[in-house]
Amino acid sequence: TQLLEQSPQFLSIQEGENLTVYCNSSSVFSSLQWYRQEPGEGPVLLVTVVTGGEVKKLKRLTFQFGDARKDSSLHITAAQPGDTGLYLCAGRKNTGNQFYFGTGTSLTVIP
Amino acid sequence: NAGVTQTPKFRVLKTGQSMTLLCAQDMNHEYMYWYRQDPGMGLRLIHYSVGEGTTAKGEVPDGYNVSRLKKQNFLLGLESAAPSQTSVYFCASREYRAGELFFGEGSRLTVL
């Protein structure tokens, strides 16, 4: 059983639409990261959130850390084909050395 | 600017064969990690190292061994490959105080 569950697993939308990806757990994390992975490559960090309730924006992407630090969401406004990829959340417990990755959300944005 | 380099990128094994995946990083990072990626399961941690000469088990360590004889290299070994070990393997590294993981491009392993 994965420590972090993401939903939806697959998402296919038209260019210009908005979407939200969820990352949920029953465990508390000291920080939560979001990565994007493109085919044939390794994941690349998008953002790190560390405070419960924190909201960070990266252009059209908005990331939120839940108040209880057990969940997170990624919202994309006006999706573009360049947003296509696999989105992964990763949680770190108590500044430990392990990073627990979510199950992943595969996003396809159709032109 | 190599970053994290994994070799080989592709390998096909028969059940019972052994092999070693090599990860090399040129960023002088203390921490190194080996993950496997399977459809619908994200990345799962196999083993990791917090410095030269140290290793620790992750979430799914069975069937794998690792060694960190040099700071820049982290080796992942399969002593007797099984079809369940068919996967894409990713190596990552990070600085001691930083949280960002830097990944290699992956190694696709197929066990027949």
Side-chain angles (χ1 to χ4, degrees):
Chain A
T1 306
Q2 298 287 105
L3 203 58
L4 284 162
E5 293 287 337
Q6 288 183 234
S7 62
Q9 184 176 356
F10 298 98
L11 192 53
S12 181
I13 62 172
Q14 295 289 330
E15 181 176 357
E17 292 184 347
N18 302 331
L19 67 113
T20 302
V21 176
Y22 299 93
C23 173
N24 295 302
S25 177
S26 57
S27 297
V28 176
F29 295 96
S30 61
S31 66
L32 203 295
Q33 298 176 324
W34 284 92
Y35 289 80
R36 181 168 66 205
Q37 183 180 17
E38 299 191 11
E41 299 182 6
V44 176
L45 180 68
L46 295 173
V47 78
T48 301
V49 285
V50 297
T51 305
E54 181 177 3
V55 176
K56 278 192 175 180
K57 293 192 175 184
L58 187 65
K59 297 183 179 177
R60 293 175 292 100
L61 279 61
T62 302
F63 305 86
Q64 184 163 7
F65 201 8
D67 291 340
R69 292 185 286 129
K70 293 182 179 181
D71 54 81
S72 181
S73 64
L74 158 60
H75 182 79
I76 301 179
T77 303
Q80 298 178 1
D83 295 326
T84 293
L86 179 68
Y87 288 82
L88 295 157
C89 63
R92 187 179 180 189
K93 289 184 170 184
N94 298 326
T95 65
N97 297 317
Q98 297 195 38
F99 291 75
Y100 300 89
F101 278 81
T103 47
T105 295
S106 179
L107 171 65
T108 302
V109 182
I110 303 166
Chain B
N1 235 13
V4 179
T5 303
Q6 295 181 226
T7 53
K9 290 190 170 32
F10 301 94
R11 184 74 188 271
V12 178
L13 290 177
K14 294 181 179 179
T15 297
Q17 287 185 319
S18 63
M19 75 157 295
T20 300
L21 296 176
L22 170 63
C23 177
Q25 53 97 1
D26 62 1
M27 297 174 283
N28 201 35
H29 286 173
E30 290 291 335
Y31 294 82
M32 296 188 74
Y33 301 80
W34 274 108
Y35 287 91
R36 60 177 290 172
Q37 184 172 40
D38 303 291
M41 304 190 77
L43 292 163
R44 291 181 293 168
L45 181 63
I46 305 171
H47 286 281
Y48 65 99
S49 168
V50 301
E52 182 178 321
T54 73
T55 63
K57 294 181 180 180
E59 301 167 86
V60 288
D62 294 344
Y64 305 95
N65 57 76
V66 287
S67 64
R68 183 101 181 264
L69 298 180
K70 293 183 179 180
K71 185 177 183 179
Q72 63 269 35
N73 296 337
F74 195 28
L75 278 63
L76 177 70
L78 285 72
E79 291 185 347
S80 180
S84 60
Q85 294 178 304
T86 293
S87 187
V88 182
Y89 292 84
F90 284 95
C91 177
S93 70
R94 72 175 177 95
E95 286 183 314
Y96 171 65
R97 294 187 183 277
E100 180 176 1
L101 293 170
F102 291 84
F103 284 86
E105 293 184 336
S107 298
R108 181 175 294 275
L109 174 65
T110 302
V111 183
L112 302 176

